[in-house]
């Protein structure tokens, strides 16, 4: 039997998703298409009256603004956001993990405090925007003159940003910045850290409790060093001492239950929620079953699907915390005269996504089907195993920064439009939702999930392929983003509060 050029995702759906371009007048499963349907876009498979719910994934994604006939293209011209929720159906079981899955190991670095690292970097962290240029100069010089002497060090990473002064010393803005930077100073993938301040900023180095001489964590201010050039010279002496210790580290076997992976999606398209995201969800389920941790985030992009996560919460307290995060975001966007349906982005819409409800239902698929064990604030330290949720914006660099600050030692990032991203010190895997993207940007994409849409792979099979790549990457295999050099410019802490 010939493959149909569309996928129906749930028995209750009244739209299908085109897997290939469908010409007007084509007859598919007894339905004549009335206009061209591009790949990733929706086609009505039954008549949908004006004002009726459009159903995809078995959930409402909005309501029609006109009468829609079977075979019509369903998109922004005849579908709009309306805050509907359909009842969550019974949760299906997570992907089955075998005893062999649960016993898997990877080759990582065992830190003195017992934590497991997937990389062995040294961080050069700016406390304030004023020290960013010096931090970059220090990292460049260290990578040029020190790194060649140490095969066991992955590199010197500048962690720079545009905050740290011109802000209140108290309140949400400073709390979030401090929590984020503190998370990076203790990140397991940094074998050593040098933190550089200017000296007169609001975000003082003394807030971070750095240890003194002889330790792998050091700090100083540019003003105390006598200026920029002297600061670089002073840093080189410290980094040589740090590198002498960090360069001795060797990879050893450790349980995959010590992997903490941040789940991201960006530049989504109509295939993201039916290929790459659910396949990543399978890998997340397998990791969770082995005792590992998967962090789902992007609160503004689970809006409309949060009830599905709530139904999987392990306790009323976890469900309540998720509800509180959603309520905060509703108030937050209203305060700024915006709406959570400002998302999807123009690129998302060109790829076939119409409303935030549709995007969210596909986005939560990254979390698989495991129980939701905990909910965290932005950049809070993640300690619970299994599937957890961290409150972050939907903007990918800000979201991933929070996940890494919370302890993620890897990132898995799905994309349908071609987002380019790295997140040092955590290696970032890129998963394309469609094969055309993989073919055009193969040097950026690690796995092609588009073969699910063509019927050449299953969600389960592709999920296991991702799982295997997670293990290999944790053991040192370079990602495409790492090979290109991504990761020095994607540190973006969430900016809250007034700029003074």
């Amino acid at each position: 039997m010939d493959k149909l050029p569309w996928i129906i995702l749930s028995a209750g759906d009244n739209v299908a998703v085109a897997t290939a371009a469908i010409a007007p007048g084509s007859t598919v499963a007894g339905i004549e298409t009335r206009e061209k349907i591009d790949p990733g876009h929706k086609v009505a498979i039954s008549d949908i009256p004006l004002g009726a719910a459009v159903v995809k994934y078995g959930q409402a994604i909005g309501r029609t603004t006109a009468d829609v006939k079977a075979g019509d293209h369903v998109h922004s011209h005849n579908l709009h956001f309306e805050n509907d929720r359909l009842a969550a159906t019974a949760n299906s079981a997570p992907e089955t993990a075998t005893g062999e899955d649960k016993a898997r190991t990877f080759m990582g670095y065992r830190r003195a405090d017992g934590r497991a690292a997937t990389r062995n970097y040294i961080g050069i962290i700016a406390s304030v925007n004023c020290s960013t240029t010096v931090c970059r100069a220090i990292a460049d010089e260290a990578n040029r003159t020190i790194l060649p002497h140490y095969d066991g060090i992955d590199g010197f990473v500048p962690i720079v940003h545009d905050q740290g002064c011109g802000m209140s010393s108290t309140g949400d803005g400073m709390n979030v910045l401090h929590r984020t930077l503190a998370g990076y100073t203790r990140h397991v993938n940094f074998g050593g850290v040098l933190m550089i301040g200017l000296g007169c900023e609001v975000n003082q180095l003394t807030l971070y409790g750095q240890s003194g001489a002889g330790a792998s964590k050091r700090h100083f201010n540019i003003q105390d060093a006598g200026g920029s050039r002297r600061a670089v010279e002073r840093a080189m002496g410290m980094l040589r001492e740090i590198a002498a210790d960090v360069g001795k580290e060797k990879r050893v076997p450790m349980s995959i239950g010590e992997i903490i992976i941040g789940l991201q999606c960006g530049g989504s398209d109509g295939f993201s929620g039916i290929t790459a995201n659910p396949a990543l969800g399978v890998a997340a389920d397998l990791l969770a079953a082995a005792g590992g941790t998967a962090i789902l985030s992007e609160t503004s992009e689970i809006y409309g699907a949060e009830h599905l996560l709530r139904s999987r919460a392990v306790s009323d307290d976890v469900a309540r915390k998720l509800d509180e995060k959603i309520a905060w975001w509703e108030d937050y966007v209203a305060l700024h005269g915006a709406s959570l349906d400002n998302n999807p982005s123009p690129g998302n819409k060109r790829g076939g996504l119409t409303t935030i409800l549709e995007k969210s239902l596909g986005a939560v698929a990254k979390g698989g089907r495991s129980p939701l064990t905990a909910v965290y604030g932005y950049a809070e330290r993640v300690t619970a195993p299994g599937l957890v949720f961290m409150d972050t914006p939907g903007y990918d660099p800000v979201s991933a920064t929070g996940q890494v600050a919370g302890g993620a030692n890897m990132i898995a990032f799905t994309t349908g439009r071609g987002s380019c991203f790295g997140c040092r010190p955590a290696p970032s895997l890129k998963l394309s939702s469609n094969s055309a993207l993989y073919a055009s940007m193969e040097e950026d994409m690690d796995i092609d999930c588009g073969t699910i849409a063509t019927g050449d792979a299953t969600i389960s099979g592709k999920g296991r392929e991702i799982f295997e790549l997670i293990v290999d990457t944790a053991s040192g295999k370079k990602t495409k983003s790492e090979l290109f050099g991504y990761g020095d410019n994607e540190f973006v802490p969430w900016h809250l509060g007034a700029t003074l």
Side-chain angles (χ1 to χ4, degrees):
M1 180 181 294
D2 293 337
K3 297 177 184 177
L4 295 179
W6 67 41
I7 296 175
I8 300 172
L9 301 175
S10 175
D13 291 359
N14 53 21
V15 293
V17 179
T19 58
I22 305 175
S26 301
T27 300
V28 182
I31 298 172
E32 182 177 348
T33 55
R34 293 157 54 89
E35 50 197 314
K36 180 185 177 184
I37 313 295
D38 287 327
H41 282 249
K42 297 175 290 296
V43 57
I45 55 175
S46 64
D47 292 346
I48 312 173
L50 167 67
V54 174
V55 181
K56 180 182 175 184
Y57 302 108
Q59 294 290 316
I61 62 170
R63 290 185 179 272
T64 55
T65 57
D67 287 330
V68 173
K69 299 295 184 182
D72 280 348
H73 179 212
V74 179
H75 198 35
S76 304
H77 61 290
N78 56 13
L79 169 63
H80 76 124
F81 169 79
E82 191 163 315
N83 204 354
D84 292 333
R85 305 287 192 279
L86 298 181
T89 56
N91 289 318
S92 53
E95 185 76 11
T96 301
T98 66
E100 184 178 350
D101 293 330
K102 297 176 183 179
R104 292 290 298 277
T105 61
F106 75 99
M107 298 297 291
Y109 297 98
R110 179 68 67 196
R111 300 304 187 196
D113 61 5
R115 293 181 299 156
T118 63
R119 294 293 184 269
N120 194 33
Y121 285 110
I122 294 175
I124 319 297
I125 300 180
S127 68
V128 63
N129 172 259
C130 307
S131 61
T132 59
T133 298
V134 167
C135 284
R136 289 191 187 279
I138 291 170
D140 288 345
E141 182 68 10
N143 281 319
R144 185 179 68 83
T145 63
I146 301 176
L147 185 61
H149 300 287
Y150 295 97
D151 292 337
I153 297 176
D154 289 303
F156 294 81
V157 181
I159 300 296
V160 299
H161 54 95
D162 65 354
Q163 298 185 48
C165 210
M167 59 194 300
S168 173
S169 61
T170 60
D172 290 342
M174 180 54 76
N175 290 340
V176 166
L177 177 61
H178 179 262
R179 193 161 65 233
T180 304
L181 287 173
Y184 271 70
T185 65
R186 66 168 178 263
H187 196 277
V188 69
N189 284 0
F190 281 140
V193 165
L194 175 59
M195 196 169 193
I196 306 294
L198 178 62
C200 55
E201 63 269 20
V202 172
N203 187 36
Q204 289 285 298
L205 292 178
T206 53
L207 297 171
Y208 296 88
Q210 298 285 48
S211 49
S216 62
K217 294 185 179 180
R218 309 280 194 89
H219 69 238
F220 68 85
N221 289 314
I222 297 168
Q223 292 166 352
D224 296 333
S228 301
R229 192 172 302 279
R230 288 180 181 176
V232 175
E233 293 170 355
R234 181 174 176 179
M236 290 304 105
M238 292 181 172
L239 290 176
R240 288 187 182 94
E241 293 178 0
I242 293 173
D245 289 333
V246 175
K248 297 175 183 176
E249 297 287 335
K250 303 294 183 184
R251 289 186 180 270
V252 296
M254 49 190 65
S255 168
I256 62 167
E258 298 183 79
I259 294 175
I260 303 174
I261 192 163
L263 311 175
Q264 288 289 319
C265 61
S268 300
D269 70 350
F271 290 112
S272 294
I274 60 179
T275 60
N277 287 356
L280 179 55
V282 168
D285 282 341
L286 294 173
L287 184 64
T293 303
I295 309 173
L296 184 65
S297 299
E298 301 172 295
T299 315
S300 58
E301 296 184 6
I302 67 156
Y303 186 70
E306 75 281 351
H307 61 301
L308 304 180
L309 285 175
R310 188 194 307 120
S311 70
R312 292 155 51 187
V314 297
S315 69
D316 291 340
D317 184 56
V318 171
R320 176 185 56 78
K321 288 180 179 178
L322 185 64
D323 289 340
E324 289 173 350
K325 301 303 183 187
I326 295 293
W328 184 92
W329 273 91
E330 290 175 328
D331 292 341
Y332 179 62
V333 297
L335 180 66
H336 294 277
S339 164
L340 284 170
D341 194 45
N342 285 352
N343 215 323
S345 70
N348 294 156
K349 291 184 177 182
R350 285 193 295 272
L353 298 177
T354 310
T355 69
I356 187 58
L357 303 181
E358 179 181 12
K359 184 175 181 180
S360 295
L361 289 163
V364 297
K366 300 192 302 294
R369 293 169 288 180
S370 297
L372 182 66
T373 61
V375 174
Y376 293 94
Y378 184 83
E380 284 186 347
R381 192 168 186 172
V382 173
T383 57
L387 175 68
V388 305
F389 186 81
M390 177 180 285
D391 180 34
T392 76
Y395 183 43
D396 310 310
V398 177
S399 181
T401 294
Q403 292 176 330
V404 175
N409 51 22
M410 288 189 63
I411 297 289
F413 192 123
T414 70
T415 183
R417 304 294 296 176
S419 295
C420 298
F421 187 77
C423 202
R424 295 205 294 179
S428 177
L429 290 168
K430 300 301 295 299
L431 316 174
S432 70
S433 69
N434 63 84
S435 296
L437 168 62
Y438 185 83
S440 66
M441 295 182 65
E442 187 174 352
E443 291 185 352
D444 291 280
M445 301 295 131
D446 294 283
I447 285 186
D448 175 17
C449 296
T451 52
I452 296 170
T454 61
D456 297 313
T458 64
I459 290 174
S460 179
K462 189 60 66 171
R464 284 194 165 271
E465 182 181 343
I466 296 169
F467 176 68
E468 293 296 333
L469 185 56
I470 288 172
V471 176
D472 289 345
T473 302
S475 297
K477 179 182 173 66
K478 297 290 187 183
T479 68
K480 299 287 185 66
S481 295
E482 288 179 293
L483 292 173
F484 189 82
Y486 277 104
D488 288 352
N489 301 299
E490 288 80 12
F491 175 76
V492 188
W494 192 0
H495 195 167
L496 290 170
T499 300
L500 302 178

